[in-house]
Amino acid sequence: MTQNPAQGSDPDASGSRRLMLLLAMAMFVLVVDTSLMNVSISAVVVDLDTTASGVQSAIALEALVSAAFILINSKVGDLIGRKRAYVLGLLGYAVGALAMTLAQSLTAIIIFWAIIGGLGASLLLPAMQSLIHGNFVGAAQKQAYALVGASAAVAAAIGPLIGGFVTTYLSWRVGFALEVVIIVVVLSQIRLVRDVAYTGSRKIDVVGAVLSVIGMGGVVLGILVWQEGGELVGLLMAVGAVALVLLARWLIRRKRAGRVTLLDPDLFRHPNFTAGVSGQLLQQVTLGGAMIALPLYFQMTLEYNALQSGLSLAPLSLSMFAAAVLAGKKAGDRRPAAIIRAGFFLTSLGVLAIIPFVPRADNGWYFVVPLAVTGCGLGLLVSQLNNYTLAPIAEERVSEAAGVNSAAGSFGLSFGLALAGGLMLAALSFSFTRLVENSPVIPAAQQQQIAQALEHDAEIMSNTQLDQQITGQPPAVEAEVLAINDEARNRSLQIALLVPLLAGLLGLANSFRMLRLPDQRPSSSLEGLDLG
């Protein structure tokens, strides 16, 4: 029998608490998934006989697919039914997680985890938001949003620790198998979910959807192709940039003609919304850049296993969680823009403090304080950016604005991952080549051979991995190559960290613009409206 809204809104009604828990479980899987990949990079590289850059590209591609399709898939969910979109999103994520438990090549990870899983996420997030809004009202709705939001925060905080433990003592594949089990449990109780009817226009802005996918996809894919040494990099990025410009013009023209648009360009007439979306994007660029460079540093330079890497990242994730919770409760009368400014300042300060330690540290303890400072800054941003961005938006348009906000965040994450990874490999190749050519120890004939090999196959690798590839060389040459690898790798990681540093500084500059704008009172409760 179909559950009516009143039953679904009563927190004591049969099944409603269970439904809240199941929605929270789905969100937990969604957030913890990337953490598993970040701390398992070296294990995946070894098991699949692939490269760290290839795995990093897959992580960036998953975030990109989610960003590029979240706006159009929000409309798809409206047309096919939010419950059906929710189920399809979970199934897409399950396919990706199952592929990770069975994959024998990077190609399988890219197709099933990055692309199909990313499409699943882009269906799941907007559908989940609509289902929470339609299955609960009043206090129960706030409780559901709070529980789902809390599960996302907890997953972000403990994800590196869970992933590190499972990968070290069992296998990285086990973590993804557990994701499949959780999704099966959630789907087994799908009868508890009441579908939410869509009453708006059923027309689709196909041109706008295509331009948004090409725009975001072209920019990030261009960086990924550059990182892998492919051709047509400039063309891809130019196509992406042109598509984004055309998208803006297309939306404005259709809006003036009174036709359906992928998103309402009038949203960007609110300066608070525009500044907030910019802050969201820059925050995620910062997070993406840090979360690819730091795990690689711990696993490839310090040669930490997954658990040690997860523990080393714990000061960042745990302080981020703690700061977000405390700031949300203790903000008081402080201006959101002032808290956002403090967040970007602490984030930039923390990343800046990490950079000089990269070539000097011999263990993760050197990074505890800088990572905690960075995490506190990110936590302050998490606590304020969503409400600041959506506050000036009328209640009937908050859901659409939240979708734009989520898309901007996902795009920023994929851009940060791709750009930091691309700069890392470019700097590695350049530094290694120059250091080899200037080495007085390596014979001239071998200098050219080693430099050419790196130029065609630049890769972040540990000294242990490199040592296995240069066996048979004279001891002095082996020692010199390893020393060069140390210097070139550390230099490239420092350059990669400039991406989150620059994004943090741009966010800080943007926060001063926020301070000049008047504060806006939210038009409705905004809890949970930016679940991604």
Side-chain angles (χ1 to χ4, degrees), residues 383-440:
S383 74
Q384 301 298 318
L385 269 173
N386 179 46
N387 280 1
Y388 179 92
T389 304
L390 301 182
I393 307 301
E395 184 173 355
E396 64 271 14
R397 300 172 65 193
V398 165
S399 182
E400 180 186 10
V404 175
N405 199 30
S406 293
S410 295
F411 175 71
L413 183 66
S414 65
F415 184 82
L417 286 164
L419 185 59
L423 285 175
M424 189 187 307
L425 289 178
L428 175 72
S429 178
F430 180 83
S431 298
F432 201 103
T433 300
R434 294 298 172 267
L435 290 170
V436 166
E437 290 176 349
N438 295 329
S439 171

Side-chain angles (χ1 to χ4, degrees), residues 332-394:
D333 295 330
R334 295 177 181 86
R335 294 189 64 190
I339 298 175
I340 291 169
R341 180 181 60 179
F344 274 117
F345 174 77
L346 289 175
T347 300
S348 303
L349 181 64
V351 175
L352 181 63
I354 291 170
I355 293 174
F357 281 124
V358 167
R360 295 173 175 84
D362 56 11
N363 62 70
W365 288 104
Y366 283 80
F367 300 93
V368 170
V369 174
L371 286 176
V373 172
T374 304
C376 286
L378 289 170
L380 293 179
L381 296 176
V382 168
S383 74
Q384 301 298 318
L385 269 173
N386 179 46
N387 280 1
Y388 179 92
T389 304
L390 301 182
I393 307 301

Side-chain angles (χ1 to χ4, degrees), residues 176-428:
F176 292 99
L178 291 174
E179 288 186 17
V180 177
V181 171
I182 294 174
I183 292 173
V184 169
V185 171
V186 173
L187 288 174
S188 71
Q189 302 296 308
I190 196 65
R191 61 183 175 79
L192 295 174
V193 178
R194 181 179 63 86
D195 204 357
V196 179
Y198 173 68
T199 57
S201 172
R202 304 188 71 82
K203 295 180 180 180
I204 300 176
D205 180 6
V206 177
V207 174
V210 170
L211 287 173
S212 71
V213 171
I214 294 175
M216 287 187 277
V219 172
V220 176
L221 283 176
I223 298 172
L224 294 178
V225 169
W226 167 56
Q227 154 181 316
E228 294 297 326
E231 299 177 352
L232 303 178
V233 173
L235 178 61
L236 279 172
M237 297 186 71
V239 167
V242 170
L244 289 175
V245 172
L246 291 176
L247 172 63
R249 299 183 64 179
W250 172 261
L251 293 175
I252 293 171
R253 190 171 70 178
R254 280 183 70 89
K255 175 70 175 180
R256 288 172 177 169
R259 305 178 69 182
V260 172
T261 57
L262 177 68
L263 59 95
D264 188 348
D266 286 348
L267 288 172
F268 295 93
R269 292 183 181 275
H270 298 281
N272 293 67
F273 178 78
T274 304
V277 167
S278 300
Q280 182 78 274
L281 186 146
L282 290 168
Q283 177 214 359
Q284 291 297 321
V285 172
T286 302
L287 184 61
M291 292 309 291
I292 194 61
L294 291 172
L296 281 173
Y297 174 79
F298 290 129
Q299 294 173 63
M300 299 300 174
T301 299
L302 300 184
E303 302 199 36
Y304 278 0
N305 61 30
L307 179 57
Q308 291 170 318
S309 180
L311 289 170
S312 298
L313 289 170
L316 174 67
S317 56
L318 295 178
S319 62
M320 181 177 171
F321 172 71
V325 172
L326 290 174
K329 293 180 177 179
K330 305 291 185 181
D333 295 330
R334 295 177 181 86
R335 294 189 64 190
I339 298 175
I340 291 169
R341 180 181 60 179
F344 274 117
F345 174 77
L346 289 175
T347 300
S348 303
L349 181 64
V351 175
L352 181 63
I354 291 170
I355 293 174
F357 281 124
V358 167
R360 295 173 175 84
D362 56 11
N363 62 70
W365 288 104
Y366 283 80
F367 300 93
V368 170
V369 174
L371 286 176
V373 172
T374 304
C376 286
L378 289 170
L380 293 179
L381 296 176
V382 168
S383 74
Q384 301 298 318
L385 269 173
N386 179 46
N387 280 1
Y388 179 92
T389 304
L390 301 182
I393 307 301
E395 184 173 355
E396 64 271 14
R397 300 172 65 193
V398 165
S399 182
E400 180 186 10
V404 175
N405 199 30
S406 293
S410 295
F411 175 71
L413 183 66
S414 65
F415 184 82
L417 286 164
L419 185 59
L423 285 175
M424 189 187 307
L425 289 178
L428 175 72

